[in-house]
Amino acid sequence: MSSTAESVPAAGHERLWSVDDHLADILAAVHPLDPIELQLPDAQGCVLVEDVTVPVALPPFDNSSMDGYAVRTADVAGATDEFPAVLTVIGDVAAGSGALPEVGPGQAARIMTGAPLPPGAEAVVPVEWTDGGAGGGAATAMRPAGAGGEGSSGEVRVFRSAEARDHVRSRGSDVRAGDLALEAGTVLGPPQIGLLAAIGRGSVRVRPRPRVVVLSTGSELIQPGEELGEGQIYDSNSFALTAAARDAGAIAYRVGAVTDDADTLRATIEDQLIRADMVVTTGGVSVGAYDVVKEALSSVGDEDEPGGGVDFRKLAMQPGKPQGFGSIGPEHTPLLALPGNPVSSYVSFELFVRPAIRALMGREDVHRPVVRATLAAGETLSSPAGRRQFLRGTYDAEGGTITPVGGAGSHLIAALAHADALIVIPEESVSVEPGTEVDVVLIG
């Protein structure tokens, strides 16, 4: 599945891939999922693939922005506290009202927020500008419909004048019929879903959220909540990566840890392909005697499929040197094999898997934001020559600084939990002094 032109390594030397080349190879091979029609609740987080135009104006009719009285402006001209305009109340107009009373000279209609402006009325006076039909001073709220005393009938005193269209939301003041509501490429969040519903769209054509299956390998792994035995550790990677996949926009499925047996791992992966647009494994990609992912994936469901297979590589980075990428199964499902150390696994996800997920979604913003920040450290940071190092840190946007958290060890998951950024030390640097400006990948 490799698409980047590879230089031939010298005899006896395995190629050392750069971070950029490995990522470019992944993104060249991962293509957006085919569009489908989804109902609005299922389209959240998806990318729109068509322009959506407005079929009806919003709002679709002139309506009141206040609880009050619909009036003719001439009838309330010059109204004051001392000399109020006294109008005959001819009825109520509530939101959703069908037949509307016509407001004639000397008349007013009680109107609720969102209710259509009745014919004859030119403005709305808020209830606070009136006595609410109670015959006293200024009202503080609209009297409930059907309440005792004057309300939807009788008289109302208006203490202030109004200009035409006061407190009236005009038809089409939000959007007009034929306007572009949303353009192709829009990511559908809650406001966009609300707009689509408001203009009457029950479904839209989008690229679906990719289904990502995450599984970890290792006979030493047990599920959280169980009792640790000798030599056992809790499986944290599959939980972290499943959460990260969901955070990236995917529908993620976590598979329990698989033992270090190639046949079991192969069968597990093959069973998962039916619900996977991408598979992510963690562990078993190094050079140890029990690193079974290489063995299992050398033929998993892809033997007779041209262009398939998984390539295991060494990258010029720390942490995360061992990586695997390719496709498996008859549908050439992308698979990314990540190292098993928790920090290596998570950093690898941020650098490679997250962009791939967002590429499947058809997102343009596949990468995390990168900013420049001043290193706020108590000592010089060291880095291996020829490797791009990613250290964990906390970023202070106001001060423009980045402070390292924990050390460089790939097992320091507690430090990772307190970091919101990755400090990037380039391949050519072996040390970075405090006060130096560095690239920072924002992951928080």
Side-chain angles (χ1 to χ4, degrees):
M1 193 171 179
S2 176
S3 61
T4 300
E6 299 185 24
S7 58
V8 179
H13 294 279
E14 183 180 355
R15 175 185 175 181
L16 192 63
W17 286 67
S18 72
V19 172
D20 295 335
D21 284 349
H22 182 60
L23 177 58
D25 193 47
I26 293 170
L27 294 181
V30 174
H31 305 293
L33 298 176
D34 292 335
I36 60 174
E37 190 82 11
L38 286 180
Q39 297 295 310
L40 291 189
D42 300 319
Q44 183 174 351
C46 297
V47 176
L48 194 63
V49 297
E50 61 182 356
D51 289 344
V52 175
T53 55
V54 179
V56 293
L58 283 183
F61 47 81
D62 290 352
N63 69 89
S64 177
S65 65
M66 304 285 287
D67 290 340
Y69 290 83
V71 299
R72 295 159 55 98
T73 57
D75 292 333
V76 295
T80 65
D81 291 342
E82 186 177 359
F83 298 104
V86 181
L87 305 177
T88 301
V89 180
I90 59 173
D92 275 359
V93 183
S97 293
L100 302 176
E102 182 166 355
V103 178
Q107 296 179 335
R110 284 210 323 167
I111 191 167
M112 315 307 158
T113 302
L117 189 70
E122 300 166 313
V124 172
V125 290
V127 66
E128 294 86 356
W129 295 5
T130 77
D131 67 353
T140 57
M142 188 73 80
R143 294 165 63 84
E150 303 296 341
S152 60
S153 60
E155 291 183 339
V156 64
R157 287 169 174 75
V158 180
F159 303 122
R160 293 178 59 178
S161 61
E163 300 294 327
R165 312 301 293 178
D166 275 358
H167 307 294
V168 174
R169 297 184 290 216
S170 299
R171 179 180 185 274
S173 57
D174 190 353
V175 290
R176 296 170 297 179
D179 282 352
L180 178 64
L182 297 171
E183 61 182 352
T186 299
V187 180
L188 300 181
Q192 292 76 32
I193 296 291
L195 173 58
L196 290 167
I199 63 175
R201 287 293 293 264
S203 64
V204 282
R205 192 162 177 79
V206 297
R207 297 196 188 278
R209 296 164 60 198
R211 301 163 301 163
V212 177
V213 171
V214 177
L215 61 90
S216 52
T217 64
S219 298
E220 77 281 10
L221 300 177
I222 67 168
Q223 298 303 298
E226 298 179 8
E227 187 174 347
L228 284 176
E230 189 70 26
Q232 293 182 322
I233 60 173
Y234 290 120
D235 171 22
S236 63
N237 284 357
S238 67
F239 286 91
L241 299 188
T242 300
R246 288 173 181 154
D247 183 69
I251 299 170
Y253 304 105
R254 191 192 69 85
V255 179
V258 181
T259 60
D260 288 322
D261 178 78
D263 290 337
T264 301
L265 178 58
R266 185 181 300 115
T268 301
I269 292 176
E270 287 177 337
D271 287 345
Q272 294 296 322
L273 290 179
I274 193 171
R275 64 171 181 174
D277 297 307
M278 176 185 290
V279 175
V280 178
T281 68
T282 171
V285 295
S286 191
V287 294
Y290 292 95
D291 289 330
V292 298
V293 174
K294 290 182 182 179
E295 178 185 351
L297 297 185
S298 61
S299 61
V300 60
D302 208 28
E303 294 168 300
D304 301 322
E305 297 296 327
V310 178
D311 182 23
F312 291 91
R313 307 165 175 175
K314 292 181 179 178
L315 270 61
M317 65 179 285
Q318 185 184 51
K321 182 179 180 180
Q323 301 282 338
F325 169 64
S327 70
I328 56 175
E331 300 298 324
H332 295 297
T333 303
L335 182 142
L336 286 90
L338 311 183
N341 280 316
V343 176
S344 301
S345 175
Y346 194 81
V347 169
S348 299
F349 182 97
E350 285 289 342
L351 297 179
F352 308 123
V353 182
R354 191 176 194 278
I357 288 173
R358 293 170 80 81
L360 284 174
M361 297 176 69
R363 298 279 300 246
E364 293 184 2
D365 54 334
V366 301
H367 302 291
R368 289 286 201 184
V370 177
V371 299
R372 297 285 285 177
T374 301
L375 181 63
E379 58 184 9
T380 300
L381 301 182
S382 61
S383 184
R387 302 275 189 91
R388 186 180 302 180
Q389 183 167 218
F390 297 89
L391 297 172
R392 279 65 66 202
T394 55
Y395 175 62
D396 179 1
E398 185 174 347
T401 60
I402 182 74
T403 304
V405 176
S410 57
H411 65 293
L412 301 175
I413 192 169
L416 179 62
H418 293 90
D420 60 11
L422 298 176
I423 305 168
V424 183
I425 302 181
E427 292 86 341
E428 63 272 14
S429 298
V430 294
S431 64
V432 180
E433 300 292 334
T436 303
E437 196 173 67
V438 294
D439 281 341
V440 173
V441 182
L442 304 181
I443 63 172

